[in-house]
Amino acid sequence: MRRNTKKLLTLGVTMTAAAFLLAACGGGSSEEKTSAKNENASIKLWVDVAFVDTYKPLVEEFEKEHKDCKVTIKPSESATAQENLKKDPSAAADVFMMPHDQLGQMVDAGIIYANTKYEDSVKENSTESAVEAVTYDGKLYGYPYGVESQFVYYNKEKLTEEDVKSWESLTAKGKLGANFGEAGANYIFTPLFMSNGDELYGKNGEDINGTNFNNDKGVQVLKWIHSQKDNSGVVQSNADALSNLSNGKIDAFLSGPWSKLDVEKALGDKLAVAPYPTVDLGNGPVQQKAFLGVKLFGVNASTKSPVAAMALADFLTNKENQLTVFEKNGTVPANKDAQADSKVTSDKVAEAVMKMSDADHSVVMPKLPEMVSFWGPADAVINDTYNGKISEDQYLPKLDKLVKDTSKSEK
């Protein structure tokens, strides 16, 4: 893969080397210029505890190429990246793992550094959805290294490839475990609104006034959700989904790559996977969509060594290292060339994730800070609709309230 990183990137060895680096990378901010002059850059890296052993040798390779850089790797869960960074940005890591949906919160808080050095290579080498995920308010932040989405796990002794192509045939031929009635239904079934042509915070997920679920299409979605209560092929399943799959109570369920090892234990060689099915919400079959999540590295806006920090983030997310992380941890790469590698294409779970990653099958999770106010009300509407706690004549008023309550600025 072509990179913008130069082999001769030795931070601050001399004023001449620093000047050459800045010229080669197209200039930079005053902070970047100061960083490039500083010798012996010390960089702190945060990764999820499950990734520490994977990244240690990669960090060692980086240090060999950048002899004036010393990288200290520490475990810190990406799910709480923005929370941990906000506590004390000056003491936080220079480079850190994060999920892309925290991007808006970080940008608004001024705690994440824009990708000013490797923007072109990210755009050239990453999937379109990954580029969208690391872009906020027209500016690119972050360095994507993985994508994830839900798909269908199923027992191939009970269901065929043809059976799982539509929701109707899947639930007619077998039992599908799905969580409509408990917390977490929001993540799984909110994308039904987008499947039916509505939008959540606009086309790019950044418009506070861009949610339009409160229309006829949104009402259709709620009617369909309620109808699943009487669908004998749907079994309400949440924490018990894996045990239900193992004991044969269900033949399929919706989940993501994080469930791979557990499903392999439950089904063994009976395991098969498929993209989401089509679903008829009232106007004929449409593709059921899922939320797409993108894993990325970010750079702390308070770093004293932005050039070194960006170089590290770029290095950790190159094609070869994304393939290493795929082999060690199962994270499906965001890099297009890495996705085309036989190691990835031969993996059935990775294949399903990559299929689900296109715009026809998924919606990039919105990055607006207001998403934090969306999850609770969305869960309540979906749960209560499925459980029959909302009458049909209240569907539109409930959607009106959902849109109103989740379109208030967090600022």
Side-chain angles (χ1 to χ4, degrees):
M1 181 175 74
R2 296 192 298 272
R3 312 297 295 172
N4 288 342
T5 312
K6 302 294 189 246
K7 289 282 187 178
L8 48 79
L9 178 58
T10 303
L11 297 177
V13 175
T14 64
M15 291 290 287
T16 302
F20 180 84
L21 170 65
L22 289 165
C25 294
S29 68
S30 59
E31 291 85 359
E32 289 166 11
K33 292 173 182 176
T34 300
S35 171
K37 297 175 184 177
N38 291 336
E39 296 184 7
N40 303 317
S42 180
I43 304 296
K44 187 188 299 182
L45 172 67
W46 280 349
V47 301
D48 289 343
V49 63
F51 288 77
V52 171
D53 289 341
T54 299
Y55 279 101
K56 277 183 178 178
L58 304 185
V59 164
E60 291 173 1
E61 289 181 29
F62 177 81
E63 290 177 329
K64 288 178 182 177
E65 292 187 19
H66 305 79
K67 298 187 184 301
D68 287 330
C69 285
K70 174 62 179 175
V71 180
T72 303
I73 184 169
K74 297 287 185 181
S76 182
E77 293 308 301
S78 56
T80 55
Q82 63 91 18
E83 177 184 337
N84 295 336
L85 208 64
K86 284 180 178 178
K87 288 178 182 177
D88 186 357
S90 64
D94 300 273
V95 180
F96 50 89
M97 276 184 170
M98 61 173 284
H100 88 270
D101 57 299
Q102 294 183 10
L103 186 57
Q105 298 175 68
M106 289 192 177
V107 173
D108 285 359
I111 57 177
I112 188 168
Y113 201 94
N115 185 343
T116 59
K117 292 296 183 185
Y118 305 101
E119 178 180 7
D120 290 343
S121 68
V122 167
K123 289 181 176 178
E124 177 184 356
N125 298 307
S126 303
T127 64
E128 184 178 348
S129 56
V131 174
E132 179 184 345
V134 299
T135 302
Y136 188 75
D137 197 21
K139 186 176 291 187
L140 192 138
Y141 298 83
Y143 308 72
Y145 70 90
V147 295
E148 62 182 16
S149 174
Q150 294 212 154
F151 49 88
V152 181
Y153 285 103
Y154 69 98
N155 184 335
K156 63 183 179 183
E157 289 189 355
K158 301 289 186 67
L159 294 162
T160 67
E161 289 184 19
E162 195 65 29
D163 292 337
V164 300
K165 287 183 177 180
S166 77
W167 185 279
E168 291 73 26
S169 62
L170 194 167
T171 58
K173 301 288 183 64
K175 302 287 188 181
L176 172 66
N179 175 27
F180 285 99
E182 300 177 21
N186 47 20
Y187 177 75
I188 305 167
F189 292 112
T190 291
L192 283 172
F193 291 95
M194 285 78 92
S195 302
N196 210 29
D198 283 343
E199 294 178 351
L200 177 60
Y201 295 126
K203 289 183 178 180
N204 67 353
E206 296 183 28
D207 181 359
I208 185 64
N209 297 309
T211 303
N212 62 346
F213 293 1
N214 53 334
N215 55 24
D216 290 342
K217 292 177 180 178
V219 170
Q220 281 184 326
V221 170
L222 293 189
K223 287 181 178 179
W224 183 88
I225 288 173
H226 178 63
S227 73
Q228 299 311 300
K229 185 76 170 178
D230 298 320
N231 185 341
S232 60
V234 173
V235 178
Q236 166 60 31
S237 300
N238 194 10
D240 55 353
L242 285 166
S243 62
N244 288 343
L245 195 66
S246 183
N247 63 30
K249 188 175 181 179
I250 62 175
D251 307 310
F253 86 119
L254 311 178
S255 191
W258 51 86
S259 296
K260 178 182 178 181
L261 295 179
D262 290 327
V263 179
E264 286 177 340
K265 291 178 183 177
L267 291 180
D269 58 9
K270 297 180 289 185
L271 168 64
V273 300
Y276 267 9
T278 59
V279 59
D280 189 342
L281 298 168
N283 297 316
V286 294
Q287 178 59 56
Q288 183 183 355
K289 294 187 176 184
F291 275 129
L292 179 72
V294 176
K295 297 171 176 286
L296 62 139
F297 280 98
V299 172
N300 187 342
S302 295
T303 181
K304 296 179 180 178
S305 304
V307 171
M310 286 190 285
L312 175 62
D314 180 67
F315 175 83
L316 294 178
T317 56
N318 67 28
K319 172 190 173 182
E320 294 74 19
N321 289 336
Q322 287 193 36
L323 285 172
T324 296
V325 174
F326 170 73
E327 292 182 81
K328 299 288 187 181
N329 298 85
T331 303
V332 178
N335 178 279
K336 290 183 290 189
D337 289 342
Q339 285 193 355
D341 190 278
S342 60
K343 299 184 187 72
V344 181
T345 58
S346 62
D347 184 285
K348 55 190 175 184
V349 167
E351 183 181 21
V353 171
M354 289 188 292
K355 182 66 175 177
M356 289 296 298
S357 297
D358 67 38
D360 291 333
H361 289 78
S362 63
V363 178
V364 176
M365 182 81 74
K367 296 151 284 183
L368 272 184
E370 285 75 16
M371 272 297 289
V372 299
S373 69
F374 174 82
W375 295 118
D379 242 351
V381 170
I382 293 171
N383 294 166
D384 289 348
T385 297
Y386 176 75
N387 290 317
K389 295 181 179 180
I390 304 174
S391 60
E392 189 170 314
D393 64 350
Q394 286 300 302
Y395 288 169
L396 187 57
K398 286 289 185 180
L399 289 173
D400 284 335
K401 188 174 189 307
L402 174 66
V403 171
K404 180 180 178 180
D405 289 348
T406 60
S407 298
K408 298 174 182 177
S409 176
E410 292 291 303
K411 298 177 183 179

